[in-house]
Amino acid sequence: EVQLLESGGGLVQPGGSVRLSCAASGFTFSSYAMSWVRQAPGKGLEWVSLISGSGGDTSYADSVKGRFTISRDNSKNRLYLQINSLRAEDTAVYYCAKDILGSCTSITCRLDYWGQGTLVTVSS
Amino acid sequence: DIVMTQAPLSLSVTPGQPASISCKSSRSLLHTDGKTYLYWFLQKPGQSPRLLIYEVSSRFSGVSDRFSGSGSGTDFTLKISRVEAEDVGVYYCMQGVHLRTFGQGTKVEIK
């Protein structure tokens, strides 16, 4: 069974930093791309970042480029998101999701499994 | 960046009746590999989103055949043939031809 468990959220001051983590199990972690998606309170979904299975290719939404860094440790089956220079508008639930690069099948697809999310609140 | 625009933003449906959600993209989602990378997700209240439809019209594993997707290029539609109480939530379209972008979401409720 695929499981994704995010952690690392909490209350952070504006201008501060936070590192989110996502522990993956139930699939061959290194074979799959992974994404981070966030959702501000009462708002819609916003894709944030993507990393290839090897970790060699990364992509970011324009809104977070330069402040967010996605990374992974395939030896630990862990995905990370480093967020620097936090702003109030970064307040959101951050989800990690299993992703693929390329076409889907009926059992393996982009964002086919999601974690339960971790809440980051930016406030003084 | 590709902009995804959904309509309507909210929908109230009588159980057993059909429902339809539109999603338009600011540019074609047809990739050079011949596939169209348009997806539909449902986020039920208090839950994480889950994938319903991939590549315009293919139902993901375990998804009811009451859900169907159609469209091409820049115009896409999600249809629910007979809405049930368990279909309540927010529906999102997402493009995957250039990175990922979600639509604003369409909230579906039961009358």
Side-chain angles (χ1 to χ4, degrees), chain A residues 7 100 103 105 107 112:
Chain A
S7 60
I100 67 169
S103 187
T105 70
I107 57 173
D112 54 357

Side-chain angles (χ1 to χ4, degrees), chain B residues 27-66:
Chain B
R27 67 178 205 236
S28 176
L29 303 186
L30 176 63
H31 194 271
T32 53
D33 65 6
K35 294 189 182 292
T36 300
Y37 291 113
L38 185 282
Y39 309 82
W40 290 96
F41 294 82
L42 166 60
Q43 186 175 31
K44 294 184 178 182
Q47 296 185 15
S48 301
R50 73 173 179 113
L51 178 66
L52 297 176
I53 300 287
Y54 66 94
E55 292 164 20
V56 179
S57 58
S58 297
R59 274 187 299 276
F60 194 58
S61 176
V63 174
S64 169
D65 60 6
R66 295 183 297 101

Side-chain angles (χ1 to χ4, degrees), chain A residues 4-65:
Chain A
L4 298 169
L5 185 62
E6 302 93 338
S7 60
L11 179 61
V12 189
Q13 290 199 335
S17 298
V18 69
R19 188 195 197 199
L20 306 182
S21 179
C22 171
S25 61
F27 64 104
T28 306
F29 183 66
S30 61
S31 295
Y32 290 90
M34 297 291 293
S35 273
W36 286 99
V37 177
R38 68 181 180 180
Q39 186 170 36
K43 302 297 185 183
L45 302 172
E46 180 187 15
W47 174 80
V48 169
S49 185
L50 169 70
I51 188 168
S52 64
S54 67
D57 293 307
T58 59
S59 301
Y60 299 91
D62 286 347
S63 59
V64 306
K65 212 173 285 185

